[in-house]
Each structure stands twice: as C-alpha cells, then as structure tokens.
C-alpha cells in the first residue's frame, strides 16, 4: 500500500474481494460503457476526462491496479462502490441498471 497508511488497521482483503464481487464488469466493458454514455448526451467534451462519470473513472483506476498498490483514495472508492451497489441492489429497470453500470455493476450479468 502506498500513501503511508497501515493496512493492518483495515480489512483490505475483504474489501478487495467485495469490490470485485460487486464490480462484475471488466475494465474493457466498463470503459466502453462509460465512453458510449459520455458520447450519447452531447458528444465528447473538450476536457481530458471526456465527460466520463467521476466514480466510474475511479472504478476503472482501481480495476487496473494490484491490491498492494492501492492508495487511500482507491480504498475510499472501493468502499463507496460496495456500499452503493449493496444499497441499490440488483434493480433491472432501465434507469437503475444504467446507474449501476456507471460504476461497473451490471445487474443482468450472472
């Protein structure tokens, strides 16, 4: 872990497993969905983030890391995603599914 925090005080292993359980889209699927979603509303804006959902970008960032490379910020993103997906549940109506997919969880995926 970087950022100088003590991993023994945190249950990083459990959080890592929960995060990867609720984020059931791989990084390529999520990136493609986020880019498609960003382009659907008003085309690609000129900013470097290309209009991609901030939390979705955080999920992509974590998906591309190894557990021992996590930062405090990554751990916070992981907690937010686990809490968010568990709170939303596996709702499959179009709006809920879209919201869940913005953070890497497709409720229709087995």
């Amino acid at each position: 872990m970087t950022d100088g925090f003590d991993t023994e005080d945190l249950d990083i292993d459990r959080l890592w497993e929960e995060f990867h359980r609720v984020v059931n889209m791989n990084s390529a699927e999520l990136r493609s969905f986020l880019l498609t979603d960003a382009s659907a509303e008003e085309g690609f804006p000129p900013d470097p983030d290309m209009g991609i959902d901030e939390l979705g970008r955080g999920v992509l960032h974590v998906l591309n890391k190894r557990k021992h490379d996590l930062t405090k910020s990554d751990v916070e993103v992981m907690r937010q995603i686990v809490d968010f997906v568990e709170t939303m549940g596996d709702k499959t109506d179009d709006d809920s599914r879209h919201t869940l997919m913005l953070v890497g969880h497709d409720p229709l995926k087995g």
Side-chain angles (χ1 to χ4, degrees), residues 5-93:
F5 67 102
D6 186 4
T7 59
E8 294 190 22
D9 293 337
L10 304 169
D11 191 0
I12 300 301
D13 289 333
R14 182 183 56 75
L15 179 60
W16 180 261
E17 288 176 20
E18 286 182 32
F19 174 80
H20 286 285
R21 177 183 54 80
V22 300
V23 175
N24 62 2
M25 296 169 70
N26 64 42
S27 59
E29 292 169 325
L30 178 56
R31 183 177 299 107
S32 176
F33 178 78
L34 292 172
L35 288 171
T36 301
D37 185 64
S39 68
E41 293 188 20
E42 55 196 45
F44 288 108
D47 65 61
D49 297 329
M50 297 194 307
I52 296 175
D53 178 78
E54 182 178 345
L55 202 47
R57 282 194 323 266
V59 172
L60 278 175
H61 187 73
V62 172
L63 287 175
N64 290 314
K65 284 192 164 191
R66 296 174 299 187
K67 184 172 27 174
H68 68 274
D69 292 331
L70 295 172
T71 64
K72 285 181 183 180
S73 177
D74 297 331
V75 170
E76 182 56 33
V77 166
M78 291 168 58
R79 283 192 179 117
Q80 288 177 343
I81 298 305
V82 169
D83 289 345
F84 178 73
V85 172
E86 288 179 349
T87 299
M88 288 265 318
D90 277 337
K91 296 178 182 174
T92 57
D93 63 275

